[in-house]
Amino acid sequence: MRKRKPWKFIFILLFAVAISLGVYVYQQQYEPDDLFVKVGEGILDNAPEIFSGEPKEVRELRKQEVADTDTQGLRQEYYFSQLNEEEQRGYREIIEGIRAKEKEFYLTIYEDDTVNKVYHAVLMDHPELFWVHNRKQVYKTTFSNANYCMFSPGYSYTDEEIQEIQAAADNACQEVSALVSEGADDYEKAKAVYTYLIDTAEYQESEDDQSMAGIFWRRQAVCAGYAGAAQYLLEYLGVPCIYVEGSTAGSTEGHAWNIITLNGNDYYFDATNGDQPEFLEGDAVQLAEHKTILYDYLCPFPEEYETTYTPSAEFTVPACSATDMNFYVLNQGCFDSYDYQEILAYCQMRLNNGAAVVRFKFSSQEAFEQARADWINGDAIQEAARYYMTIYGMSQVEYHYGILENMKTIYYMF
């Protein structure tokens, strides 16, 4: 049997590939003497795509270095740090595509769970990407036997609307900065943001309620909008803040809130729950002068907050345990035990300082129940009301009360 000479087979293969690249060769109009050199280069350049099936764009993505921090230097990217190397590459690819507002773009990740996880991490780390749809409106195209995909996030606003919303967000940053005194510490900044959000917006479902656009642009949002806006403003002021999603006890509805870092300790921050005037009893909720900010959800006691809200298990979040920056602790309005004279003295002190709202809380359920028996079910408030009338020379006064049982707090408004 005669053996075929291998060079003939190689020449035939080269000739076949050259024909397949004929358009490429013809368009470049190479000279005959370097024809085979250029054909060989074409083979080498395209060999990865020919044999692996990967587009050139995907191969280029795999070569790129993955930045450890936000390339624009604005976000702390807490959830990025929880991803593995492959997921972090996909994270950067998603951000780049969204910032460029590309309708579709390649990702070097492809499994459904991985893409969803990485996209969610991007959304929670980057509230400024308000123009992208949430996770329920995302599409991707996968390719058989391929470890990449085509990602289509979808966008909620036109370029003109994006400019309007960004201008509103920039204005919010300036407004909240004006509320912060020079040299203010991080707690004062956090309180300013908390107050600003509640004074500025109202809890209301709308087409824009899932991002900071609802707060800054429409002045209406649900918890996702409040939490995203809080994160945006707090990071602008230099206060470490992350966005958290989770579940609500006794409800099928989810909830979003924040965790902030103050003096090295982590605290819950929930502006959504701070904006609930309906907690007042009777018709007081109808009175504009009784709209108040509930500071119970600014650095609340962790064990109290966690009886209602549980973070999602998708990512880990910082454990909150400190209580020293709680609003009531800082303002001497938190009591470990119940004593009628002590509470009365506290109420009188608040009224002497011109407060129209008197609020106090208890660290134990037993003390709270004792206070409620006297100040809500009993007539202990009458003495405080008489003191109020004496201060202002009044013959009568109307007051309303509110209770936050989960926070062990009692409110009075005169």
Side-chain angles (χ1 to χ4, degrees), residues 283-304:
D283 60 356
V285 69
Q286 307 295 330
L287 304 175
E289 66 268 24
H290 282 334
K291 177 174 171 34
T292 190
I293 294 173
L294 305 186
Y295 288 107
D296 299 72
Y297 293 91
L298 173 61
C299 305
F301 285 10
E303 64 273 15
E304 293 178 348

Side-chain angles (χ1 to χ4, degrees), residues 142-194:
T142 56
F143 304 90
S144 59
N145 300 319
N147 57 353
Y148 62 91
C149 74
M150 181 71 76
F151 189 69
S152 305
Y155 302 108
S156 303
Y157 304 105
T158 64
D159 288 342
E160 183 178 356
E161 289 171 333
I162 291 173
Q163 292 177 3
E164 288 182 14
I165 296 168
Q166 188 58 59
D170 293 341
N171 183 64
C173 289
Q174 298 306 311
E175 289 179 339
V176 79
S177 294
L179 299 175
V180 179
S181 61
E182 185 176 353
D185 61 21
D186 283 355
Y187 174 80
E188 292 173 294
K189 294 175 183 178
K191 185 182 177 185
V193 170
Y194 188 90

Side-chain angles (χ1 to χ4, degrees), residues 244-302:
V244 183
E245 285 185 354
S247 59
T248 305
S251 173
T252 58
E253 295 184 2
H255 187 55
W257 62 95
N258 303 97
I259 292 178
I260 61 176
T261 303
L262 303 174
N263 300 329
N265 293 317
D266 296 306
Y267 297 88
Y268 294 117
F269 178 107
D270 188 347
T272 306
N273 273 309
D275 192 3
Q276 49 172 324
E278 67 277 5
F279 89 103
L280 293 174
E281 298 294 325
D283 60 356
V285 69
Q286 307 295 330
L287 304 175
E289 66 268 24
H290 282 334
K291 177 174 171 34
T292 190
I293 294 173
L294 305 186
Y295 288 107
D296 299 72
Y297 293 91
L298 173 61
C299 305
F301 285 10

Side-chain angles (χ1 to χ4, degrees), residues 104-177:
E104 59 180 18
F105 46 89
Y106 285 111
L107 299 180
T108 55
I109 53 177
Y110 65 99
E111 294 179 343
D112 288 345
D113 290 344
T114 301
V115 173
N116 288 338
K117 175 185 177 182
V118 172
Y119 183 50
H120 194 199
V122 168
L123 294 182
M124 293 196 296
D125 279 341
H126 290 272
E128 80 282 5
L129 301 178
F130 57 83
W131 59 83
V132 68
H133 284 331
N134 61 35
R135 287 190 295 170
K136 295 181 180 179
Q137 297 172 294
V138 171
Y139 302 92
K140 72 182 182 69
T141 303
T142 56
F143 304 90
S144 59
N145 300 319
N147 57 353
Y148 62 91
C149 74
M150 181 71 76
F151 189 69
S152 305
Y155 302 108
S156 303
Y157 304 105
T158 64
D159 288 342
E160 183 178 356
E161 289 171 333
I162 291 173
Q163 292 177 3
E164 288 182 14
I165 296 168
Q166 188 58 59
D170 293 341
N171 183 64
C173 289
Q174 298 306 311
E175 289 179 339
V176 79
S177 294

Side-chain angles (χ1 to χ4, degrees), residues 335 337-345 362 367 370-371 374-375:
F335 301 90
S337 59
Y338 173 67
D339 179 89
Y340 167 74
Q341 290 299 331
E342 186 178 24
I343 299 301
L344 177 61
F362 298 89
Q370 291 173 339
D374 274 1
W375 289 81

